[in-house]
Amino acid sequence: MASAIANLPAELIEAVLIVAAASGNPNSIAALSQTSKFFYELIYCCPDQHLWREIFLTTFDDPRPALNHLTTMSDGHHNLEFNWTREYIDRISAARYIRRPVQTTAPVSSQSKVLDIPVPSLSVVKALLSVITTSLPFPSSPRISLTILNDFPESKSPFAPMTNAPLLPPLLHLLTANYSAMLGSVNVPWLQDLLEIGLPPELTRTLMAKLSFDVQGHAPYQPTLTSASQWDGSVVGQLFHKLVCCTGFIPIAAPDEDMPPLPITCSRPLLYTPEGQSADARTLARRRVYDMRYLGPARMWGPFQPVRRNTTDSPESNHLEILDEDENEDNDEDDDDDDLGLMHFGLMHGHRVPDVDPPIEPYELVPDYVWLASARIVVEANLREMPPPFSASDVLPYMRKMYAMSIGGSPGYWNAWANRPGEGDRSEGSEKSKQGEVEGWDWAGISGVWKRCVCWLDYRDLLSKYSRFLQDDIQEACRIIPIAVRITGYSESRIPPGNATRALPTIHFEGESLGSDHSLTELRKVTGTVSMIGDGAIRWQTVSTAAGSNEPEWSSEAVQIGGPGAAVGFLGMWTGAMHERPDPLGPFWAWKVA
């Protein structure tokens, strides 16, 4: 039989392999490759990747539209070549790992061709993020953008665009109306089905404050109510939390009749419910996002990994560097002393903290996804509990749909790209360029109306013992505030050392926000910028004034989640605009609605 199959034309054998992948039997490809040298070389040693490209496209979106857009955004600088063979094997292996948890963390050799071998957590996380990154971009169809995204009642109020705009992104309402089929992605349902099972339990358990899980094949892990120092310097930690920024917290699933038992034991069975796990993860997330020791100039006062400097110019600069180095050291045995020290640090030193010298360049900033994932967990939990008329509990689950992570899902995104200037219009020798301004376009889809969910704690809770976060009666304030944004200009971005090309121009904007913790009609002025930073991320920086004044009061730093222009929006941090020592902080989540 083997010799009879081998006598078939190579094109016909390849067609059989493609059908096997399309019918949900990818492991038959690996099985056939092990039967003879002829089949192994046919499958894995072909001079190009035409076979694996066709195998890949039976199951996943064509990645080229997304990668082409990302290449355009990076001005062709980033190498976004796609390895069809490796990507397919990694994704199928990741799915097998999640569906049938393995009992070992033995790493996979890059030369291995078998699909049914264990893969480490890093490979799983990378594969899932790749599925999100290369999902088919949201279609730029006028029929969708005009009939669904711009249906607002007329009003003579100057604030009508803000007050009449929908509460959540229009894409979510499209999904609730069961229009997902017209979006055409196959990555999304594939990943959505996989996430119903959950993420690797050895990673999910690190999101817990006190609930302990033992995972077979992995070292014991004891959760503590501390900052995330266990992830310091960890690639898998940052990437896992980047994934959580997209998915939200997914509890470790209890096995059902159709699945083999998960290799997990739980120290407190009563909390082994989805609700119990979610509450426990919220506790740790609160501990992280409200940690006043997190703030510092080395993070540009935002959710970024610290940028190190040799600060020898002044004793105070040295002191700041020492504080920043120690900011995530977990010493909760001395909670009471820490609290007294924190109160003294915050209330007795009300002057501005000096910035890092030399100033941090945007390309040096890299998002701290551990903090951002915690922000998503906290804000999402608060949104579920909001009372009418702001309740979004019926629509909010659609924010977890992977369609919300796709490139261009926010309203008006593709309109700006269709009208972008040509290369000649962005010449660096132009008069505008000499004055620090350049031609540009709204490449981030920032212009329009946004809704921003802001959360904060009472100042006494913010300065209290960290064990306070374990108590059920702790209360956060939560407001959804509309913001109208208008672009005022563009400026050149700095060229990173060793690069020959310049990133997209920095977008400058102004606008207004309506409402605050004092009044729902309080108007504040908003100014800010949107720019590209390290890791290919998009940064949103804003400053808002005090009501009825031009004096800066609050500043915000945020990072785009998902692809550029994704409907899921930005996650970020707010704090005082002057960066004084007693300034509070908290998380927010912003999404575009019109």
Side-chain angles (χ1 to χ4, degrees):
M1 178 65 71
S3 61
I5 297 176
N7 289 332
L8 293 174
E11 293 83 356
L12 186 55
I13 297 175
E14 291 179 352
V16 171
L17 296 174
I18 294 169
V19 171
S23 61
N25 295 294
N27 289 315
S28 60
I29 301 172
L32 181 63
S33 73
Q34 298 175 56
T35 61
S36 71
K37 182 181 179 181
F38 168 77
F39 286 123
Y40 183 90
E41 292 180 347
L42 175 68
I43 294 172
Y44 294 116
C45 302
C46 53
D48 57 31
Q49 294 195 61
H50 74 274
L51 172 60
W52 285 97
R53 181 177 63 247
E54 295 305 316
I55 290 174
F56 182 95
L57 294 176
T58 64
T59 309
F60 301 105
D61 290 337
D62 187 337
R64 288 169 291 191
L67 294 180
N68 288 342
H69 186 71
L70 295 175
T71 300
T72 302
M73 292 197 66
S74 66
D75 208 5
H77 176 71
H78 294 293
N79 181 11
L80 298 175
E81 292 183 3
F82 197 77
N83 187 322
W84 302 91
T85 308
R86 188 75 262 160
E87 286 285 341
Y88 182 80
I89 291 176
D90 285 350
R91 293 182 186 190
I92 298 301
S93 298
R96 285 181 56 82
Y97 185 88
I98 290 175
R99 290 193 174 103
R100 297 293 185 269
V102 294
Q103 299 186 18
T104 177
T105 56
V108 178
S109 168
S110 60
Q111 301 300 317
S112 176
K113 307 296 185 182
V114 184
L115 296 179
D116 59 353
I117 54 180
V119 293
S121 301
L122 178 58
S123 296
V124 173
V125 173
K126 282 185 173 180
L128 299 184
L129 286 172
S130 175
V131 175
I132 295 174
T133 302
T134 60
S135 291
L136 195 65
F138 187 82
S140 54
S141 166
R143 181 166 56 91
I144 296 176
S145 60
L146 292 178
T147 60
I148 296 177
L149 306 184
N150 297 317
D151 185 18
F152 304 118
E154 294 184 0
S155 172
K156 297 181 180 180
S157 169
F159 308 125
M162 288 191 283
T163 56
N164 292 339
L167 178 63
L168 292 170
L171 175 60
L172 270 63
H173 297 283
L174 183 145
L175 295 176
T176 60
N178 201 26
Y179 278 90
S180 58
M182 68 189 303
L183 303 181
S185 174
V186 291
N187 277 19
V188 169
W190 184 90
L191 183 58
Q192 208 71 55
D193 291 343
L194 191 61
L195 293 178
E196 291 295 326
I197 302 170
L199 298 171
E202 68 272 14
L203 296 178
T204 302
R205 63 179 178 171
T206 64
L207 300 175
M208 307 295 182
K210 57 185 182 296
L211 183 57
S212 177
F213 294 89
D214 291 328
V215 181
Q216 294 177 17
H218 297 272
Y221 173 78
Q222 183 60 44
T224 53
L225 188 63
T226 61
S227 56
S229 60
Q230 72 269 20
W231 291 116
D232 285 352
S234 167
V235 175
V236 66
Q238 285 293 330
L239 291 179
F240 169 64
H241 285 84
K242 182 178 183 179
L243 185 59
V244 174
C245 287
C246 297
T247 66
F249 175 75
I250 302 176
I252 297 173
D256 57 32
E257 297 178 356
D258 299 324
M259 292 180 57
L262 291 171
I264 298 169
T265 59
C266 175
S267 62
R268 300 181 66 180
L270 291 179
L271 290 180
Y272 188 59
T273 63
E275 296 77 14
Q277 292 181 58
S278 297
D280 201 50
R282 183 186 190 182
T283 297
L284 180 58
R286 278 173 166 169
R287 163 66 175 84
R288 289 174 176 168
V289 300
Y290 293 117
D291 185 355
M292 291 183 68
R293 296 174 298 180
Y294 184 90
L295 278 173
R299 298 184 188 272
M300 285 292 284
W301 309 102
F304 307 110
Q305 298 181 42
V307 177
R308 302 304 181 191
R309 289 280 191 271
N310 292 322
T311 52
T312 57
D313 296 338
S314 69
E316 186 165 21
S317 295
N318 249 346
H319 180 60
L320 283 172
E321 181 71 7
I322 293 171
L323 282 174
D324 190 65
E325 292 282 355
D326 293 339
E327 66 186 348
N328 281 329
E329 291 296 326
D330 297 321
N331 190 21
D332 285 270
E333 293 179 0
D334 301 321
D335 263 346
D336 293 331
D337 294 338
D338 282 352
D339 296 328
L340 291 174
L342 184 60
M343 291 182 69
H344 181 268
F345 178 82
L347 299 179
M348 302 299 293
H349 298 78
H351 59 275
R352 190 179 189 279
V353 180
D355 294 327
V356 172
D357 185 35
I360 295 173
E361 298 290 351
Y363 54 75
E364 296 182 274
L365 289 179
V366 176
D368 181 1
Y369 288 109
V370 175
W371 196 97
L372 291 167
S374 300
R376 160 123 195 199
I377 292 171
V378 168
V379 180
E380 190 171 18
N382 290 336
L383 279 169
R384 288 197 195 96
E385 296 176 353
M386 289 191 73
F390 299 106
S391 177
S393 57
D394 56 338
V395 181
L396 190 59
Y398 289 91
M399 191 72 93
R400 286 175 167 249
K401 299 293 184 182
M402 292 301 103
Y403 287 111
M405 312 302 148
S406 299
I407 294 173
S410 63
Y413 180 81
W414 294 115
N415 294 339
W417 275 85
N419 298 320
R420 71 182 186 272
E423 291 299 322
D425 298 327
R426 289 188 284 158
S427 172
E428 294 186 12
S430 65
E431 190 64 31
K432 276 191 172 184
S433 178
K434 294 175 183 178
Q435 299 174 3
E437 299 179 8
V438 294
E439 294 293 336
W441 77 102
D442 188 10
W443 52 263
I446 198 73
S447 179
V449 179
W450 294 72
K451 292 294 177 75
R452 184 171 181 245
C453 182
V454 184
C455 305
W456 67 92
L457 279 178
D458 183 273
Y459 211 74
R460 290 167 296 182
D461 284 331
L462 197 61
L463 293 173
S464 67
K465 292 194 304 181
Y466 288 117
S467 59
R468 174 84 172 95
F469 289 99
L470 289 169
Q471 301 177 22
D472 295 333
D473 63 339
I474 190 169
Q475 294 291 325
E476 293 172 75
C478 184
R479 298 286 187 276
I480 296 180
I481 298 172
I483 303 176
V485 172
R486 300 177 299 277
I487 293 177
T488 58
Y490 309 89
S491 63
E492 285 184 344
S493 57
R494 302 294 293 270
I495 301 178
N499 285 10
T501 58
R502 193 182 301 276
L504 291 170
T506 297
I507 302 171
H508 296 258
F509 66 84
E510 66 180 12
E512 301 82 29
S513 68
L514 186 63
S516 70
D517 55 326
H518 301 296
S519 169
L520 294 178
T521 59
E522 202 169 69
L523 191 67
R524 297 169 182 262
K525 296 179 182 178
V526 175
T527 59
T529 61
V530 177
S531 59
M532 299 288 291
I533 58 173
D535 195 36
I538 300 174
R539 172 195 183 195
W540 180 1
Q541 180 186 31
T542 62
V543 174
S544 60
T545 65
S549 167
N550 291 324
E551 292 297 319
E553 183 174 20
W554 303 111
S555 70
S556 299
E557 292 279 356
V559 174
Q560 168 79 62
I561 303 304
V568 70
F570 288 76
L571 287 170
M573 169 195 295
W574 63 266
T575 186
M578 304 309 296
H579 306 309
E580 297 177 340
R581 296 194 189 279
D583 283 345
L585 79 165
F588 74 88
W589 187 356
W591 51 85
K592 190 176 180 182
V593 295

